[in-house]
Amino acid sequence: MEAVSQYLVTLLADKFDVDPDAVKPGSTLAELELDSLAVVELFVTVREQWGVELDDSDSAADLTVEDVARLVADQLPDDSGPVEATDPGTPR
């Protein structure tokens, strides 16, 4: 789960301009100022990178960084890296 957590910090900083020091395990996506569109974009990026689906319903903004990391890690067969080796900040 550590690899997923580190990836999320990098992704939030690079793609969503979140201060990496502000990203704590207990920080909610809403507290990191991700609106609903940004949450959807985050989950699409996670799906592209890790090959896992996350529910982007209205309550997703209440998920903490740790919740997201756990949801991703729970769907991975092991704690392997992303399915694609791309920079999370690279625009698509």
Side-chain angles (χ1 to χ4, degrees):
M1 190 166 111
E2 181 62 28
V4 176
S5 296
Q6 289 299 318
Y7 170 80
L8 287 173
V9 171
T10 302
L11 176 62
L12 290 166
D14 291 351
K15 193 164 188 170
F16 298 95
D17 296 324
V18 175
D19 178 359
D21 293 333
V23 181
K24 307 293 182 208
S27 302
T28 66
L29 299 179
E31 289 171 340
L32 297 174
E33 300 184 5
L34 271 69
D35 61 18
S36 59
L37 183 58
V39 171
V40 170
E41 187 175 351
L42 171 68
F43 288 2
V44 167
T45 303
V46 167
R47 183 182 68 225
E48 291 172 351
Q49 296 292 315
W50 294 88
V52 299
E53 293 285 336
L54 298 175
D55 179 13
D56 59 3
S57 63
D58 292 340
S59 61
D62 295 329
L63 292 173
T64 65
V65 173
E66 184 176 24
D67 292 336
V68 175
R70 183 172 294 113
L71 289 169
V72 172
D74 286 350
Q75 294 184 56
L76 295 175
D78 56 35
D79 201 20
S80 59
V83 294
E84 294 179 24
T86 58
D87 180 354
T90 303
R92 303 219 179 256

